[in-house]
Amino acid sequence: MCGNTEKMKMDLTVPLSTEKEAEIVYRTLSVDKEPKRGGVTRNICLEGSHLNVHFEAAEAKMMRVSVNNFFDHFNLVVQTMEQFGPPKT
């Protein structure tokens, strides 16, 4: 890689239907941290009904794995909420 040591960065904004749904997804996904050995950092913050996710990684492969894992877990949480109905306020 020609000696480039700068990390790759990716920012995602994921809109949800309501602030309550966004809070449930945030609380569920923010518990799991990225493994240290992977060299990826992930920060999730909540702004209204939007999740903002920031990833940093040294390698493209690890970035891809981390983003895919995030969306796998995200989909699982959303499907679970759909199965049990909308959250009570």
Side-chain angles (χ1 to χ4, degrees), residues 16-74:
L16 286 121
S17 299
T18 67
E19 287 186 19
K20 185 65 174 173
E21 286 181 1
E23 181 183 357
I24 291 169
V25 174
Y26 170 77
R27 288 177 158 219
T28 304
L29 297 180
S30 64
V31 173
D32 293 328
K33 302 297 180 200
E34 293 292 322
K36 292 196 186 300
R37 69 183 180 279
V40 178
T41 58
R42 180 190 73 206
N43 295 311
I44 303 175
C45 65
L46 181 61
E47 290 185 25
S49 62
H50 291 78
L51 286 180
N52 294 316
V53 189
H54 176 78
F55 296 89
E56 288 188 17
E59 298 178 18
K61 177 182 177 182
M62 297 313 295
M63 176 71 82
R64 178 183 52 80
V65 169
S66 183
V67 171
N68 282 342
N69 269 344
F70 170 80
F71 278 114
D72 285 345
H73 289 113
F74 174 83

Side-chain angles (χ1 to χ4, degrees), residues 2 8 15 55 62 66 76 80 83:
C2 301
M8 289 177 267
F55 296 89
M62 297 313 295
S66 183
L76 180 62
T80 302
Q83 183 73 28

